[in-house]
Amino acid sequence: MLRQPFFISCAVSTAVVLILGWMLGAPVPSVSEQRFRQHVHLDRMLDQPAALTAVDRPLAEVLQTLAERHAVPIFIHPDDLLGRQTVTIDVRGVRLRSLLSLILEPHDLEFAVQEQQVTVSPLGWLDESPTRLIARVYPLPQPPLAWSGMNEEDWWEIVYTVIAPYSWDYSGGGASCERYPGALVIVHLPEVHQQITELLAHLEACRQNPDPTATIRLTNFAESHFEQRLQRILAQPCQVELFRADLATALEYLSRQLDVPIVVSLNLRYHAALQEPATVTVSSQGDPLSRVLIEILTPLELTFRVRRDCIEIVPLLDVAFEREYRLYPVGDLIGDGKGNRIQELSALLSRFVELPNFAGAAKRSIQVWALGDRMLLVAATAEAHDRAQRLLADLRARLIGLSPPMNPAERLIQATLDQPADLEFLDAKLPSVVAWIEQTYGLPLEIDPQILAGPPVKITCRAQSDRLRDALRTMLGSFDLDYVVLPDRVLVTDLRGVVEYLRPQCFDVRPLIDPDAGVMTGPTLRVFLRDACKGNSSFFDAWIFDGILVVCALGVQPPRVAEILERLTNRQDRLPRDREFSAAYRLQQMAEPAASTSDQGGTLRQAYFDALHAAMEDNHAN
């Protein structure tokens, strides 16, 4: 890592002079600034479109060709670095910088803009050069323009956390970031300064065009127009017909037919799917390309990501735990900021966004920081961010008295699942059962590829119910299977899949826990629901934020929780009041003392819950 204390002290001294000049409003000439501008000019030349087709061509020859074709000086350091390395690649529609990375990484080489040239060196060499460190001053928005109450400490937190997190002095690196009133002074490599400049410009653009509910990505926030084009192509419908093709052939076919660069990650050089090719069969008549790729790659434990202007094929685990940073404006949820609401919301996301594992304990790979009084910085996987956005959208809807947002397809699925059903099968294969249910009830069903890749499932059962959702769960439960409702379909899966798609649900319980007109406190309601659902759930957690109950349960469907809350609300005028019941019960216990004080608390709670259940059942019978 960067370890140059003497140079850093000189750079910081230069930065102090820059600060004084900036504060006095006078321009101060700076060699560092001139070097940075030269770096930016050459760096922009690396954004030229590039293409290359090569089969076992010497790496030195390829670099010379690229230098001449794009008028970019490429210098090899040390001189004898390149030996017999060869390049085999066929890629087009990418930037020159991405192409250089693709041909250098397999040989443990890297490049950087240095001294008005592109220098190619062994991996890690360039970071050790003290002459590449540059000091810069970054003025920050000042009141009344300061964004969401953020101060220098909050901006420092963003830079340290998001930009090259392992290169700073606090983690053993040589880069530094100092806070001064109204500014940050940063000593780092030119390419990192460019990232910081893009980050601050991106945040300033968001401040000038505020959307109180828009999530701001801080990972790949400056993605190229090449990558934006790929994202659009991935969302477009495509027609693909592949029958028993090996993976390499299938990817080459997609790349040429759709004119998209698809490359295989270095981590897959020895992957079984490439060493002993598995066959790929897929038929798509209008599905998005992203879904076609998932259908091809998931059974092979592979996936894809957009990176370096390409669609990169990578092992599933490489992406599953890859975290990205996003800013969440939450001022509309915080309100006047009284109390510690920003911390409550931070704790809520930490608790409910990450999935429970199979033991029932929540994973905590998500990190949430409160910045100012109206902004959250969240580090999590892309999937966890999707959950966070849905949870915040549900909270916003409930707080203004609306149902959580649901697209028309999902609304139709929920209505179909509430139809009466009679399912009877004898030794029928699961795909045939799914096809029959689709045709009979019009329910868009899909089988998890991991289930299809496992042993065949044959179903013999009779499941009859007033609701298709219950009959379906009874039928699948006999084979340790279940289903989850997705925005556009119902997925038949196992416990792993159910956990993967588990989604917190929001319910407005303000009438029940209102301090004046309600029947119980928030904590009592949470415990009561957990007690009422414990027979059906292997995992149950609940949280109340500003009168909105957030529930995450494994094995308990949202209609069950909604039914309990509806019965409580409808019977509210006859339910025993928490405080009144407690006072009366304690008077009774004083007349007939219980065995121990600890038992009294548990007995009191159970007695109150029994009274609630009795009132609910009476209401249900009526």
Side-chain angles (χ1 to χ4, degrees):
M1 300 300 291
L2 302 168
R3 295 180 182 276
Q4 306 294 340
F6 173 74
F7 180 79
I8 290 177
S9 63
C10 295
V12 171
S13 300
T14 303
V16 171
V17 174
L18 290 173
I19 289 179
L20 292 175
W22 167 68
M23 294 178 68
L24 295 173
V28 180
S30 166
V31 175
S32 287
E33 199 66 24
Q34 293 174 7
R35 287 171 49 212
F36 179 72
R37 289 171 183 160
Q38 293 169 352
H39 168 92
V40 169
H41 174 72
L42 183 53
D43 189 80
R44 286 174 179 167
M45 295 181 68
L46 294 176
D47 287 332
Q48 301 176 61
L52 180 64
T53 299
V55 178
D56 289 332
R57 282 185 65 185
L59 177 57
E61 181 182 321
V62 169
L63 292 175
Q64 182 179 354
T65 299
L66 293 176
E68 294 173 353
R69 182 184 299 170
H70 297 279
V72 172
I74 299 180
F75 173 71
I76 312 299
H77 178 72
D79 295 338
D80 59 351
L81 174 63
L82 302 185
R84 299 181 178 178
Q85 300 99 320
T86 60
V87 174
T88 297
I89 193 172
D90 181 13
V91 67
R92 64 193 63 80
V94 300
R95 290 173 297 173
L96 177 58
R97 70 172 70 251
S98 300
L99 181 55
L100 287 172
S101 295
L102 291 171
I103 64 177
L104 293 175
E105 273 194 5
H107 306 291
D108 294 327
L109 302 175
E110 65 177 346
F111 74 93
V113 176
Q114 183 179 26
E115 303 297 335
Q116 301 183 44
Q117 64 190 9
V118 175
T119 302
V120 176
S121 292
L123 202 62
W125 277 34
L126 294 170
D127 284 351
E128 298 295 338
S129 173
T131 60
R132 299 190 65 234
L133 291 173
I134 293 175
R136 295 199 77 201
V137 177
Y138 293 89
L140 299 176
Q142 299 300 300
L145 299 179
W147 198 21
S148 299
M150 291 170 58
N151 54 28
E152 292 84 4
E153 184 76 23
D154 297 319
W155 290 105
W156 175 87
E157 184 86 55
I158 290 181
V159 172
Y160 254 79
T161 304
V162 176
I163 304 294
Y166 299 107
S167 65
W168 303 99
D169 45 13
Y170 78 93
S171 59
S176 67
C177 178
E178 299 296 335
R179 290 147 288 180
Y180 292 89
L184 297 178
V185 178
I186 298 176
V187 179
H188 219 307
L189 301 171
E191 53 266 31
V192 176
H193 278 296
Q194 188 166 357
Q195 292 181 45
I196 297 170
T197 301
E198 291 170 347
L199 168 64
L200 297 180
H202 178 71
L203 294 177
E204 176 63 14
C206 293
R207 185 189 68 80
Q208 293 179 359
N209 300 281
D211 181 345
T213 63
T215 303
I216 303 164
R217 293 179 63 200
L218 302 184
T219 303
N220 202 25
F221 52 84
E223 66 182 6
S224 69
H225 68 272
F226 296 92
E227 292 167 348
Q228 294 169 3
R229 168 182 171 268
L230 289 179
Q231 296 288 5
R232 290 193 296 269
I233 292 176
L234 285 168
Q236 291 175 359
C238 62
Q239 294 185 346
V240 177
E241 293 288 343
L242 291 169
F243 180 72
R244 299 181 65 82
D246 63 76
L247 179 61
T249 301
L251 296 177
E252 183 180 358
Y253 167 79
L254 290 173
S255 177
R256 292 192 175 278
Q257 184 189 35
L258 303 175
D259 190 27
V260 291
I262 300 178
V263 299
V264 176
S265 166
L266 295 177
N267 295 340
L268 294 179
R269 284 179 293 185
Y270 306 106
H271 194 278
L274 298 176
Q275 298 301 310
E276 299 179 3
T279 59
V280 172
T281 298
V282 62
S283 176
S284 169
Q285 300 298 325
D287 289 331
L289 175 59
S290 59
R291 189 165 176 182
V292 172
L293 285 172
I294 290 172
E295 186 176 346
I296 292 173
L297 299 173
T298 301
L300 304 175
E301 298 184 355
L302 302 175
T303 189
F304 70 92
R305 63 185 171 194
V306 175
R307 187 183 181 204
R308 296 197 188 96
D309 307 337
C310 299
I311 296 175
E312 184 181 23
I313 310 302
V314 296
L316 193 60
L317 291 179
D318 279 14
V319 175
F321 302 106
E322 192 175 75
R323 299 199 306 174
E324 59 181 55
Y325 296 89
R326 298 186 190 181
L327 280 175
Y328 289 83
V330 291
D332 58 321
L333 294 174
I334 300 306
D336 58 11
K338 291 182 180 179
N340 208 14
R341 294 166 61 83
I342 187 74
Q343 296 298 338
E344 289 181 23
L345 191 57
S346 173
L348 174 65
L349 289 183
S350 298
R351 188 178 187 116
F352 283 96
V353 167
E354 281 293 351
L355 306 172
N357 61 27
F358 291 106
K363 297 185 292 185
R364 291 290 180 259
S365 61
I366 184 175
Q367 288 182 279
V368 184
W369 296 268
L371 300 179
D373 56 3
R374 294 176 178 272
M375 189 78 67
L376 293 177
L377 172 62
V378 179
T381 63
E383 182 184 358
H385 279 296
D386 290 342
R387 292 172 180 275
Q389 287 179 277
R390 287 199 301 265
L391 177 55
L392 292 175
D394 289 357
L395 280 174
R396 289 184 170 104
R398 289 297 188 185
L399 283 171
I400 61 176
L402 300 176
S403 298
M406 183 184 299
N407 64 44
E410 187 175 356
R411 191 176 294 112
L412 180 60
I413 288 172
Q414 294 290 358
T416 304
L417 287 171
D418 285 331
Q419 296 178 9
D422 187 358
L423 307 180
E424 185 174 6
F425 302 99
L426 178 62
D427 203 27
K429 294 181 179 179
L430 181 59
S432 301
V433 170
V434 166
W436 184 87
I437 294 175
E438 277 192 293
Q439 184 177 2
T440 304
Y441 294 95
L443 185 68
L445 273 173
E446 182 179 308
I447 304 175
D448 190 329
Q450 300 246 5
I451 303 300
L452 290 174
V457 177
K458 292 188 176 182
I459 295 179
T460 298
C461 77
R462 173 71 186 273
Q464 190 173 16
S465 174
D466 292 338
R467 299 188 301 179
L468 176 58
R469 66 175 76 246
D470 298 328
L472 196 57
R473 176 154 286 109
T474 300
M475 179 190 75
L476 295 174
S478 304
F479 303 92
D480 294 327
L481 299 177
D482 205 336
Y483 71 87
V484 289
V485 178
L486 302 179
D488 59 346
R489 65 195 187 282
V490 175
L491 182 69
V492 176
T493 183
D494 54 11
L495 179 60
R496 171 202 54 79
V498 171
V499 170
E500 182 179 346
Y501 292 101
L502 192 61
R503 176 179 174 179
Q505 301 291 322
C506 296
F507 303 92
D508 188 351
V509 295
R510 285 174 287 189
L512 288 172
I513 63 173
D514 183 270
D516 299 322
V519 297
M520 65 185 79
T521 63
T524 300
L525 178 60
R526 289 169 53 192
V527 176
F528 174 71
L529 286 173
R530 186 180 295 113
D531 181 74
C533 297
K534 66 182 180 182
N536 306 94
S537 177
S538 56
F539 173 81
F540 186 95
D541 199 4
W543 188 280
I544 295 179
F545 177 80
D546 201 17
I548 306 302
L549 174 72
V550 182
V551 174
C552 191
L554 186 60
V556 176
Q557 288 297 297
R560 167 64 176 160
V561 178
E563 180 186 355
I564 294 174
L565 292 174
E566 183 181 5
R567 289 163 65 182
L568 284 174
T569 304
N570 292 341
R571 193 66 171 176
Q572 187 171 348
D573 58 333
R574 299 188 183 181
L575 290 178
R577 263 43 178 183
D578 188 1
R579 296 183 183 86
E580 297 172 4
F581 187 91
S582 299
Y585 189 85
R586 287 194 176 92
L587 288 174
Q588 179 183 348
Q589 291 299 300
M590 290 174 63
E592 303 175 7
S596 67
T597 305
S598 60
D599 287 343
Q600 288 180 17
T603 305
L604 168 61
R605 186 184 70 181
Q606 190 57 52
Y608 179 62
F609 287 173
D610 290 343
L612 284 177
H613 280 296
M616 287 168 55
E617 291 303 323
D618 179 43
N619 178 59
H620 190 58
N622 293 336

